[in-house]
Amino acid sequence: MSNAPIPSLDLVVDLNSEDESGLPWTFLDEARDPTLIREGAWLVVGEGTVRAVAQVVEIDDDIVRVRPLPGPVDEHRHLLSHRVA
């Protein structure tokens, strides 16, 4: 078990909340900073203590769909250019 701190969330997403697209989704107002939410952006998503790096695939009005990557956040940290190392 890792003792690394849990990364802060950019977007609260229930990763089991797939819709007809097959992707997890959430509402735009669940973003820590809405200016980070744009198609193609890489974010830290999840809820509670669950975290994943995901790419924003689609923004449809106030619904955001993401494609999470498998594995821990640390494996994909290089994709999170907006974060301070």
Side-chain angles (χ1 to χ4, degrees):
M1 184 170 191
S2 173
N3 290 330
I6 298 172
S8 62
L9 288 172
D10 296 317
L11 185 63
V12 175
V13 178
D14 175 353
L15 295 173
N16 294 313
S17 67
E18 295 179 0
D19 64 7
E20 69 280 351
S21 71
L23 297 171
W25 67 277
T26 193
F27 293 103
L28 185 57
D29 65 1
E30 293 290 340
R32 173 180 56 92
D33 177 356
T35 65
L36 297 175
I37 311 304
R38 61 189 184 285
E39 290 181 7
W42 292 98
L43 308 170
V44 176
V45 302
E47 65 179 348
T49 59
V50 175
R51 301 288 187 269
V53 171
Q55 189 170 36
V56 176
V57 174
E58 180 181 35
I59 303 168
D60 185 13
D61 292 322
D62 63 342
I63 294 177
V64 181
R65 291 181 182 86
V66 298
R67 180 172 293 116
L69 297 176
V73 170
D74 283 343
E75 286 183 12
H76 308 292
R77 194 168 295 278
H78 63 282
L79 298 170
L80 304 170
S81 62
H82 68 278
R83 291 182 165 270
V84 177

